[in-house]
Amino acid sequence: MSIEELPSVAGVEWQGLNQAYLRVDLIGLWLFRLGVLGVFLAYTFFVEGFPPVVRWSIAGLWVFLLLLTTVLRYLGFRIKGYAVRQHDLMYRRGLLFRSVTVVPFTRIQHSEVEQGVIERQFGLSSLSVFTAGGSQSDLVIPGLKREDAERIRNFLSQKVAADEEE
Amino acid sequence: MKRSELNFLEPRRQAQAAIAIFIYKFVVRILRAAWPILLVFLFRSNKEQSNTELLMNATVVIGGLFSLGVSVVAYFRYFFHLEEDQLVIQKGVFNRSLTKLPFERIQNLYIEQNVLHRLLGVVSLRVDSAGSSGHEVTIDALEREDAEAMRAYVLEQKQEEAQERSGLGPEASERSAPLAQSIVLRLTFEDLLRIGVTQNHLATAGVIVGTVFGFLFTVAGAFEQDLVKTLIERWPMLQPGFWGFLILATLLFVVAFFLTLIRTVTQHYDLQFFESRDGFQLKAGLFNRREASMQKRKIQLIRWTDNPLRRLLGLFRVSIHQAISGSERVAEQISIPGCKQAQVNDLVHSSFEGSAEAEFRGHCISKAYFIWYIRFMLLPAVVFGALGYLLQEPRFALPAVGFPVLGGLYLWAYQQRFRLWLSPEYLKTSEGVLGRTVTLLPVYKVQSVRIRQSFFQRRRALASVELYTAGGSVRVPFLPLDLARALQDYVLYRVESRREDWM
């Protein structure tokens, strides 16, 4: 078998994340960043003699960065996607810094379906796949419909169990 | 054990003592994070509180009460039970999570008891799944008999499964009697001194400086007095100036030198390294005697490193990595300082069958590596240059020129010397500027592959490849995209097409 005949990762068909996840992602981002801004502003008002110029320029910069991040997340959303192939699970992300991670089913230790507070409002879940050793090689696919996440998780458990029996 | 005797089949909570343990853990966490604040609280000279202080204390108190509440609620929301073939845990206060751990993934179960457990008459059950750090399962408080029953049940199920799979009787798996061991390496006191002298003393010096400053600033910050300033004013040695600096630097180096030397000797004292047919064993240490053993088939990757001083003596530090679960058990990795090249080769060849005959083809990384990273060296140069110009301070020219020149040389050498070696069964990288680190792993040990591409790399059809095993990872930066993809495809094909015992 030559290199050209190997199943190639390059031509895979990506499944996009659920459209509602973009909102989940942005709400989370805004809540967190505005929360930090609120604490900062409260602090500067509390401390006497904090120069207003410094206060507002930091706040302005913060908001500008927030808007910039929002645009990047918005554009990056369509890059995010996953693929379930015959023997492995893939996840792609990153607009400026793209990464494609592949985890073979035979190397999966266990998997979890998780739901954050905001995700729950939209009926979404995240699927986490854990491998052995350090956490760097773990995979998290966010923005899945609850039932999709459960379905993939069950599929993975079956695959893992079937592999064990072979 | 009959299933009916087990009362773990329905979701249930831990023993109530778990609340006490949760609270204890919480208090420890608080103490560790906030000891300077508490110190000030206890030893403050003036009892008047300023507004900022009041705010700070209120935050601490509210945060404390909140976390305390969370710990208690966490107990009531923690459920576990056993299903047919897996352990199920539901937990979480804000984010609920459901963990299912199939028995076949469980490596072992440990019953542990610390002082608090002993007082409360419970035990904790730690489930080792060779999973990632932070995702290990520990049930904090159980009655001892429950824990033992659970442990026995899971292990029994595991064994039955294993027998069904292999079709062998129970005696076959337990026959592995200890085999004859032969000693491979033994370090004498003289060897230890040699290794100690060639350690990286600069790293120790860095740690000393960091620790001392960290401590001074924490204490000074907590007491709101400029302790550091007082210290500097009182000590003539710390006065700014060439001689003060020289004395301080020499002192620091001497202390660092002896500290590393002492640490090396105590840590590796009377190091003995044995090999048997299936594995390795290491014994070392003066005060804490470590004994680590490792099965050859569980080895994920081997790494050997030298530095300029070691090169003169022909010595390498070899580390053998097996599957780790959790960061705290890094100590289970075997690390042997002071190996000769021949010993390294023997070790590698006996761990990885056929690696001696493997024919490797070498690949370089792209020169674009230099072009990308030199930008980050130019940034400080520009900052120092601008500052020097604005402040009319010619001394700033030194870092302004030094950063890009030294950094550039380093990057250039790194790019030139980096090699990726590929053979059908093995993958090897060799990297480093002053020293050299070689990493070797069998391709089938890989458990996940990641290709990264920045916008810069995408324009030039380049990519960085990261290969993760259960014992560590290898990163190859700036490969041609075609090669990166072919490598990824091949590694996945190799991992997925055969079933092998890899961990």
Side-chain angles (χ1 to χ4, degrees):
Chain A
M1 194 166 188
S2 73
I3 291 284
E4 285 75 35
E5 291 168 54
L6 293 177
S8 172
V9 163
V12 76
E13 255 184 53
W14 294 100
Q15 299 277 317
L17 303 183
N18 192 296
Q19 203 62 38
Y21 178 68
L22 182 57
R23 258 177 281 163
V24 172
D25 195 24
L26 292 182
I27 290 172
L29 176 76
W30 278 71
L31 278 181
F32 179 72
R33 297 279 178 97
L34 290 182
V36 172
L37 183 66
V39 170
F40 169 72
L41 287 180
Y43 177 78
T44 60
F45 280 115
F46 204 77
V47 173
E48 285 155 38
F50 196 94
V53 186
V54 178
R55 174 197 304 145
W56 294 119
S57 40
I58 290 180
L61 186 69
W62 188 258
V63 171
F64 170 74
L65 286 177
L66 175 56
L67 291 174
L68 191 71
T69 318
T70 307
V71 173
L72 287 178
R73 292 272 175 101
Y74 182 79
L75 293 175
F77 176 72
R78 65 186 174 84
I79 309 287
K80 286 187 181 152
Y82 66 97
V84 184
R85 300 201 304 171
Q86 196 183 353
H87 294 293
D88 46 40
L89 181 67
M90 304 177 60
Y91 181 60
R92 179 176 75 167
R93 55 167 299 180
L95 180 69
L96 296 176
F97 297 88
R98 187 160 306 172
S99 81
V100 174
T101 309
V102 192
V103 182
F105 297 147
T106 51
R107 298 293 185 260
I108 294 175
Q109 293 291 309
H110 72 284
S111 47
E112 281 177 19
V113 172
E114 284 165 345
Q115 208 174 31
V117 179
I118 309 170
E119 279 180 321
R120 201 177 307 163
Q121 310 309 316
F122 290 88
L124 294 182
S125 293
S126 304
L127 174 71
S128 306
V129 170
F130 299 99
T131 55
S135 57
Q136 286 175 308
S137 53
D138 296 344
L139 195 62
V140 181
I141 305 179
L144 297 171
K145 274 209 188 120
R146 175 109 208 164
E147 53 270 25
D148 286 345
E150 294 281 0
R151 218 181 53 228
I152 300 175
R153 218 248 336 257
N154 289 338
F155 173 76
L156 292 181
S157 317
Q158 275 171 22
K159 268 284 181 195
V160 171
D163 275 338
E164 293 291 329
E165 272 158 30
E166 259 169 32
Chain B
M1 180 166 307
K2 296 277 184 336
R3 290 189 53 145
S4 54
E5 287 175 27
L6 276 168
N7 45 354
F8 307 115
L9 301 174
E10 292 298 317
R12 54 173 278 182
R13 294 203 176 102
Q14 308 181 64
Q16 288 194 346
I19 300 182
I21 290 166
F22 278 15
I23 292 173
Y24 165 75
K25 278 184 169 177
F26 153 79
V27 170
V28 167
R29 223 168 33 228
I30 286 282
L31 284 180
R32 204 169 283 165
W35 65 268
I37 296 174
L38 293 173
L39 210 64
V40 172
F41 210 77
L42 290 175
F43 295 103
R44 234 161 358 116
S45 47
N46 59 333
K47 297 287 174 190
E48 296 288 311
Q49 293 190 333
S50 74
N51 275 349
T52 332
E53 253 185 343
L54 202 66
L55 182 72
M56 205 159 80
N57 293 336
T59 320
V60 170
V61 170
I62 291 170
L65 287 177
F66 179 70
S67 328
L68 194 62
V70 170
S71 330
V72 174
V73 176
Y75 165 75
F76 286 101
R77 310 241 345 200
Y78 188 109
F79 294 96
F80 67 95
H81 69 280
L82 296 173
E83 277 176 11
E84 189 88 346
D85 53 356
Q86 57 190 1
L87 168 66
V88 182
I89 290 179
Q90 285 166 282
K91 63 173 175 180
V93 177
F94 301 109
N95 291 342
R96 267 175 272 170
S97 79
L98 176 70
T99 306
K100 295 188 175 182
L101 195 59
F103 291 160
E104 72 227 8
R105 292 294 188 220
I106 295 177
Q107 307 283 324
N108 210 340
L109 297 95
Y110 301 94
I111 293 175
E112 292 169 337
Q113 221 182 4
N114 65 23
V115 182
L116 186 64
H117 284 111
R118 214 162 284 166
L119 282 176
L120 297 167
V122 290
V123 299
S124 79
L125 185 70
R126 182 162 63 83
V127 182
D128 180 5
S129 63
S132 331
S133 58
H135 291 281
E136 285 160 16
V137 173
T138 303
I139 301 175
D140 270 313
L142 280 172
E143 304 292 332
R144 178 174 275 281
E145 58 208 42
D146 285 347
E148 277 170 0
M150 243 172 102
R151 179 168 187 275
Y153 178 74
V154 173
L155 291 180
E156 202 173 292
Q157 293 290 315
K158 261 182 80 69
Q159 189 137 7
E160 270 172 31
E161 260 172 43
Q163 280 163 21
E164 277 166 25
R165 221 170 344 169
S166 61
L168 289 172
E171 68 280 359
S173 53
E174 290 179 6
R175 205 187 32 190
S176 53
L179 288 153
Q181 287 186 328
S182 61
I183 192 154
V184 181
L185 179 78
R186 179 170 212 155
L187 295 181
T188 62
F189 192 68
E190 220 171 286
D191 291 330
L192 283 175
L193 289 182
R194 212 173 295 150
I195 295 162
V197 169
T198 56
Q199 294 276 27
N200 188 350
H201 301 289
L202 289 180
T204 317
V207 172
I208 294 174
V209 170
T211 316
V212 168
F213 273 83
F215 179 74
L216 284 182
F217 279 116
T218 319
V219 173
F223 283 94
E224 290 183 24
Q225 280 172 7
D226 215 340
L227 208 74
V228 183
K229 209 168 142 195
T230 341
L231 236 159
I232 290 176
E233 277 165 4
R234 294 225 180 120
W235 272 19
M237 211 174 66
L238 294 174
Q239 295 305 320
F242 178 72
W243 289 108
F245 178 75
L246 197 71
I247 292 170
L248 202 64
T250 316
L251 191 73
L252 179 67
F253 186 79
V254 170
V255 170
F257 177 84
F258 281 105
L259 269 184
T260 2
L261 194 62
I262 292 166
R263 207 192 52 197
T264 310
V265 172
T266 53
Q267 195 181 349
H268 302 296
Y269 184 78
D270 190 26
L271 181 143
Q272 297 172 49
F273 187 64
F274 303 94
E275 181 183 351
S276 63
R277 206 190 60 200
D278 299 324
F280 297 110
Q281 201 188 6
L282 179 95
K283 292 179 185 170
L286 184 60
F287 302 118
N288 292 330
R289 192 109 180 118
R290 282 176 303 134
E291 283 192 24
S293 59
M294 190 175 277
Q295 282 176 290
K296 282 182 188 169
R297 62 182 180 81
K298 293 203 179 244
I299 296 172
Q300 304 289 315
L301 59 84
I302 299 184
R303 196 165 264 158
W304 57 100
T305 312
D306 66 1
N307 63 30
L309 286 175
R310 291 244 166 95
R311 175 109 29 97
L312 293 176
L313 301 171
L315 294 178
F316 296 87
R317 168 185 286 278
V318 182
S319 55
I320 308 176
H321 299 245
Q322 68 177 349
I324 45 169
S325 73
S327 47
E328 73 273 15
R329 259 167 292 154
V330 176
E332 281 177 17
Q333 308 292 4
I334 288 186
S335 170
I336 319 151
C339 279
K340 302 259 187 231
Q341 181 71 58
Q343 286 168 325
V344 176
N345 291 345
D346 286 349
L347 223 155
V348 167
H349 297 155
S350 67
S351 310
F352 296 147
E353 227 171 278
S355 60
E357 294 81 36
E359 283 179 23
F360 287 100
R361 266 185 62 189
H363 301 273
C364 299
I365 60 172
S366 162
K367 287 202 168 58
Y369 177 86
F370 176 82
I371 303 171
W372 168 252
Y373 282 106
I374 192 73
R375 298 167 184 208
F376 301 101
M377 302 288 168
L378 290 176
L379 192 73
V382 169
V383 170
F384 278 111
L387 272 177
Y389 179 76
L390 286 174
L391 302 172
Q392 293 294 307
E393 180 66 79
R395 270 185 293 178
F396 277 57
L398 194 67
V401 177
F403 259 107
V405 170
L406 286 180
L409 276 175
Y410 185 90
L411 290 173
W412 181 78
Y414 187 86
Q415 185 268 323
Q416 287 289 311
R417 288 168 61 108
F418 194 103
R419 286 290 181 285
L420 166 69
W421 301 92
L422 294 174
S423 83
E425 292 297 317
Y426 289 94
L427 183 146
K428 189 160 76 166
T429 59
S430 149
E431 65 191 295
V433 173
L434 296 172
R436 184 175 295 224
T437 300
V438 182
T439 309
L440 177 74
L441 66 127
V443 171
Y444 78 92
K445 298 279 183 181
V446 171
Q447 59 178 6
S448 115
V449 187
R450 183 170 293 153
I451 285 198
R452 283 184 194 279
Q453 273 189 302
S454 63
F455 52 94
F456 176 85
Q457 289 172 314
R458 274 212 301 283
R459 270 208 306 274
R460 289 168 173 76
L462 296 168
S464 300
V465 181
E466 290 164 10
L467 300 159
Y468 298 93
T469 73
S473 62
V474 178
R475 180 183 158 82
V476 187
F478 285 76
L479 278 182
L481 183 60
D482 294 343
L483 181 59
R485 287 214 169 121
L487 176 62
Q488 185 184 37
D489 289 340
Y490 176 73
V491 169
L492 289 171
Y493 164 75
R494 181 64 190 78
V495 170
E496 291 165 2
S497 62
R498 252 178 279 176
R499 286 201 41 72
E500 276 149 312
D501 200 4
W502 56 283
M503 201 176 75

